[in-house]
Amino acid sequence: MLQTAEDIRLLNEKISYSSNFVNRINDELGKVIVGQQVMIDRLLIGLLSNGHILLEGVPGLAKTLAIKSLAQSVHAQYSRIQFTPDLLPADVVGTMIYNQAKNEFFVRKGPIFANFILADEINRAPAKVQSALLEAMQERQVTIGDTSYALQEPFLVLATQNPIEQEGTYPLPEAQVDRFMLKVVVGYPSKTEEQQIIRQNTQGLVVPAIHAVASTAEIITAKELVRQVYIDEKVENYIIDIVFATRFPGQFNLAKLKPLIGFGGSPRASINLALAAKAHAFLNKRGYVVPEDIRDICKDVLRHRIGLTYEAEAENVNVEDIISDILKSVNVP
Amino acid sequence: MLQASLQSTAQSVEVKADKRSILIGERIQYDITCILPSPGYAVSFRVPDSVSHFVMVENKAIDSIAGSNDFRLHKRIVFTSFDSGSWHIPSVDVQVERSPYNRTLKTDSIPVEVGYSPADSTGSLRDIKSVIEVTVADYTLYYIIAGVLLLILAGLLFYRYVINRNKDKGPEGNHGLPAFDEAMAALSELEQSGFSNPEQVKNYHTSLAVIFKRYCSRKSGTDMMNRTTGEILLNMQQYNDSTFLSKLAEALRCGDAVKFAKFLPAADDSTGSLERIREAIRYLEEVHLNTKQ
């Protein structure tokens, strides 16, 4: 759909009005979460662009608190699934239970029937459970028995992985990791933030309550607006160049990366980069995407979509380094 | 009685050495001769087991010589010495017995000088062994080649360094002019070129951003051409001047909207953007000059 300058101007105005709930959510989350603004932004990007998020970070970085608080602030349903080796697909999606009195089966829906799902330590459950969750994420519906049930809107899955303690885990295959829109690496807070965390957790007697400051309807409207955010052809080409540079680094004067990259980003990477950039623009109250949006979100979109070779591992090169090199080399429009 | 007396006077012992001065390690023959009037005497040469400063090389058996008037017993000992100095081969007892006669004769001690070989600086030098000719390889050529290769390598590394340094310095521009003059000239040229259609407006704002980025690249020595508006503004926060920053942000953000959102600003806004960029460059130039001073 071609948009005129007037369309974009109107969209800008609409977005600037409709994105007010973002500030309210940020303020509300700020009551209980110190720092971690990037993680909160990414949660909102996932929420607004129909994506799901894989969160990697050591325990205790407010991952659970963030999604729980986000659910509370949006007045949405939240459920947490702790992935363990003995978990079954039915424990996630639900199952048919026999009612002896009525002599019939009835459906007991699983915890996936919520707006915000925290799949804690997703790599601790076997592949069949992971598949059940990922399928539900992709299809946005679940089949129990003969009936298919649509999942509620908004629907955001936040899966966590622990970067340490890899023994006894079932690492997600590349094809399944690709289904996550963003892979966010959560870092430690700064010294000042940590001091604030200590004070908040040791001095205050009452934990501040999170109030619902946005409705699911607002979120759904925002999602529609995000889809309408204008993305210029030059910016599209910029996205394509970045993704192509992960596949054919030689074409972008990055021949040195060729032996380090096993496989580059899929077309899903380009789609998600564009969608995430649109959501990023929306969060910044803009009706159009600028290269900054792409650069800001690029690492989180591509991090889990680029496969490294053994040579890269031997040389201690990580995906972030490769993406940084690509961003330096690909010309900004 | 008279016979006994005669007999007693008839026995004697002589000692002699073939040298009185030897070099270290040189041999000396020490001869003891016992002269008797006739055979039939029991003679015992009491040679000590060791003689201080000397080494006994040979202790030969006693030899007898029967002469027309006497009978002689002769013993030869070969000594050497490794101890320089003036030493004496001590007196040796020779016991002569013939019942009832019994007598001990004593030899004279002999002085011996033991010394080093005298150095003679006037004599010609002699080789210990025959001279073997050794062929010495001449490595000069190799050293020269290695030196040249090293110079070439150093030259290549320097060339690479210069190339990379120039790369960091940013885009190719009119480097004949200083960065400020080049930016001002480009802005004047852009001002005169004007704009009449949307495509020209787009190019106008794109050029504004390029001029500013090129100026910053040349001034800072780092490539800023590939930076986004946000990154440039973040970089400009170092000057801690909110007025400068807001004016620059306004110009660059307007350019972004033109480039990426089909925004068509009024002609005044476009010329205003150019003025803001010009002011920003002037401001940066002043800051650089003040920092230098």
Side-chain angles (χ1 to χ4, degrees), chain B residues 96-253:
Chain B
V96 179
E97 284 180 53
R98 185 172 183 178
S99 186
Y101 173 75
N102 190 2
R103 190 179 174 192
T104 301
L105 305 170
K106 282 185 182 291
T107 66
D108 292 332
S109 64
I110 294 174
V112 178
E113 287 284 332
V114 182
Y116 292 103
S117 172
D120 180 9
S121 59
T122 59
S124 59
L125 295 170
R126 288 173 288 117
D127 295 315
I128 298 168
K129 285 182 178 178
S130 55
V131 176
I132 301 167
E133 287 296 327
V134 178
T135 49
V136 180
D138 186 7
Y139 292 107
T140 317
L141 187 66
Y142 296 108
Y143 290 139
I144 291 169
I145 291 170
V148 170
L149 286 175
L150 268 174
L151 278 173
I152 291 169
L153 187 68
L156 280 173
L157 287 173
F158 182 71
Y159 173 73
R160 221 177 133 182
Y161 164 75
V162 169
I163 290 287
N164 287 337
R165 194 181 56 180
N166 287 342
K167 251 187 207 168
D168 288 346
K169 274 195 171 173
E172 283 297 314
N174 187 359
H175 287 350
L177 291 172
F180 177 74
D181 294 345
E182 185 201 356
M184 287 299 134
L187 284 172
S188 302
E189 200 179 316
L190 190 65
E191 201 171 16
Q192 283 162 13
S193 69
F195 43 83
S196 53
N197 59 45
E199 196 55 38
Q200 280 178 337
V201 174
K202 219 170 192 179
N203 290 338
Y204 182 86
H205 283 271
T206 306
S207 300
L208 276 181
V210 168
I211 290 167
F212 184 73
K213 286 179 188 178
R214 184 179 293 150
Y215 171 77
C216 293
S217 299
R218 286 190 65 189
K219 272 292 167 189
S220 64
T222 50
D223 188 5
M224 297 189 68
M225 297 304 286
N226 228 12
R227 303 248 176 122
T228 61
T229 300
E231 287 164 348
I232 289 172
L233 293 175
L234 200 68
N235 185 272
M236 293 299 148
Q237 278 180 3
Q238 61 179 302
Y239 300 106
N240 210 12
D241 187 328
S242 55
T243 319
F244 155 73
L245 206 62
S246 64
K247 281 185 178 177
L248 180 65
E250 201 180 329
L252 293 176
R253 296 264 183 233

Side-chain angles (χ1 to χ4, degrees), chain A residues 30-34 195-204 208:
Chain A
K31 284 185 190 171
V32 288
I33 300 167
V34 180
Q195 193 179 32
Q196 224 176 317
I197 292 167
I198 293 173
R199 286 179 186 166
Q200 193 166 308
N201 284 275
T202 56
Q203 291 176 0

Side-chain angles (χ1 to χ4, degrees), chain A residues 3-5 7-13 15-16 225-226 228-232 235 274 276-294, chain B residues 229 249-250 252-263:
Chain A
Q3 284 166 299
T4 62
D7 291 339
I8 298 167
R9 194 187 61 77
L10 288 173
L11 184 66
N12 245 346
E13 281 173 12
I15 284 175
S16 121
L225 284 175
V226 165
Q228 291 171 33
V229 167
Y230 174 70
I231 184 158
D232 194 77
V235 180
K278 282 185 170 193
H280 192 269
F282 179 90
L283 291 185
N284 287 289
K285 301 184 187 298
R286 250 187 291 111
Y288 57 94
V289 176
V290 292
E292 265 170 69
D293 298 316
I294 313 289
Chain B
T229 300
E250 201 180 329
L252 293 176
R253 296 264 183 233
C254 175
D256 276 354
V258 172
K259 280 194 282 179
F260 306 118
K262 296 181 179 176
F263 175 58

Side-chain angles (χ1 to χ4, degrees), chain A residues 74-119:
Chain A
V74 179
H75 196 65
Q77 282 185 335
Y78 159 81
S79 69
R80 174 183 174 160
I81 311 167
Q82 183 67 47
F83 277 55
T84 53
D86 59 349
L87 199 73
L88 295 170
D91 297 331
V92 175
V93 295
T95 189
M96 301 281 284
I97 292 178
Y98 181 65
N99 185 334
Q100 209 169 8
K102 292 184 178 176
N103 194 23
E104 62 182 18
F105 282 93
F106 71 96
V107 174
R108 170 66 58 85
K109 288 180 179 174
I112 202 158
F113 287 90
N115 299 109
F116 295 92
I117 315 287
L118 175 66

